[in-house]
Amino acid sequence: MLISLFQGLYPISGLSQTPATITNRDDAVAIIQELRKIHTPEGIEVLEQVDLGGVPQWISIRGRNRDNPVLLFIHGGPGDPMIGLSWAFQNPWEDYFTVVQWDQRGSGKNAAASDREELKGTFTIEQLVGDAEELVCYLREQLGKEKIVVMAYSMGGILGIHLANRRPEWLHAYVGVGQVSDDLIGALYKRTMEIAVERGNEEAISELEALASHMDTATTPGEDPALWGIWKWANRFDGAWYGKSGWGLYADLPVLSPEYTFEEAIEAWDALLWLNNSSEYELDPRDLRALGPSFQVPILLFHGRFDLTPPIENAQAYLEFIEAPTKRLVTFERSAHVPFIEEPGRFFAALLEHVLPLTQGGSE
């Protein structure tokens, strides 16, 4: 019936192909890969390993015109890379930016070949920011740009803020998406409990009250897995993905990534669990204010109204603390922690309205 319909619509078009038969993951990925292929002669489509801090790490560089400004996306987590998810949201960005996705050490496409024993002790702020600095140097040289845009997501915002503080001369702007700051888990607990009380959810209230004492001795689920109970209720209250009660769909997206094999997608998920449930990842958002308020680069924070990790109030308070040539909070009214997937059209429009103009008129 479907083939007859196509033949009826295009009787003289010369159309000889019929719709693809999808019987496995490879069939679906091949369609996505062809859809995303960069065809423009001035474009760039690179998937490669680069040495950062003595450790090979995968990056993706994609855009339809090399002359466009460069946007580096620093993922969150710990160990929550974006190369495997970028197919789901990034395509329109590539008309206006050369977009770089970076799977950090031990995570994502790097996970299968990583020796976790050798990596122990390297997930420090100095090492990870050092990796980021090396990557920016590489991109500036390879792509011929004096400055780039850095966009950092969630816990990646710790690296992003440090980078913006250390190397403002390298950046057109810093964009924090779901920016963490201050006492993340304390703010998460407070707002989640408020919602539980507002909704009269006695089960949530009881479980959250039982977790209050755990926060006196631990600050991350890696130190005390019981703290995941706070995230459980935050997710059920739309705090992860607005309109969904958790991360299920988000976790599924890398399985269809053209950049990952199926085995790499599974290994990436295992690495994410390892980093989140260990004390290896030493970044603490409470350290950010110690950098001081003064920044020499425009600071923009993009935040979902329903985000609980962290709540939007955290972003507002941190932006008030910051002094910068330009600063702005952009909110997404039907989003939680992943506005670039939840409201992709509005997020893209915000990039064009607020970020792209900051890249124009400067020396390249």
Side-chain angles (χ1 to χ4, degrees), residues 85-126:
L85 287 93
S86 59
W87 68 268
F89 64 85
Q90 187 177 291
N91 192 51
W93 302 13
E94 295 166 9
D95 286 338
Y96 292 88
F97 297 91
T98 296
V99 185
V100 181
Q101 296 288 355
W102 163 37
D103 283 8
Q104 296 168 31
R105 58 175 56 215
S107 66
K109 195 172 174 66
N110 305 305
S114 295
D115 185 325
R116 292 180 182 175
E117 287 300 316
E118 289 185 2
L119 289 177
K120 282 185 176 181
T122 71
F123 296 97
T124 65
I125 188 66
E126 285 303 318

Side-chain angles (χ1 to χ4, degrees), residues 71 93 97 149 151 175 177 300-303 328-332 339-340 343-358:
L71 187 155
W93 302 13
F97 297 91
V149 173
M151 175 180 286
V175 185
V177 183
L300 299 91
L301 302 185
F302 285 13
H303 216 92
R328 181 185 300 272
L329 175 66
V330 179
T331 59
F332 299 89
F340 46 92
E343 293 183 83
R346 292 186 182 279
F347 194 94
F348 178 51
L351 279 177
L352 299 187
E353 179 180 356
H354 301 297
V355 181
L356 187 62
L358 296 173

Side-chain angles (χ1 to χ4, degrees), residues 295-328:
F295 287 83
Q296 305 306 312
V297 62
I299 304 289
L300 299 91
L301 302 185
F302 285 13
H303 216 92
R305 177 68 63 184
F306 290 88
D307 195 353
L308 293 178
T309 54
I312 193 170
E313 291 80 6
N314 268 43
Q316 291 170 325
Y318 188 56
L319 195 64
E320 289 173 4
F321 170 75
I322 283 174
E323 300 168 3
T326 301
K327 65 179 186 178
R328 181 185 300 272

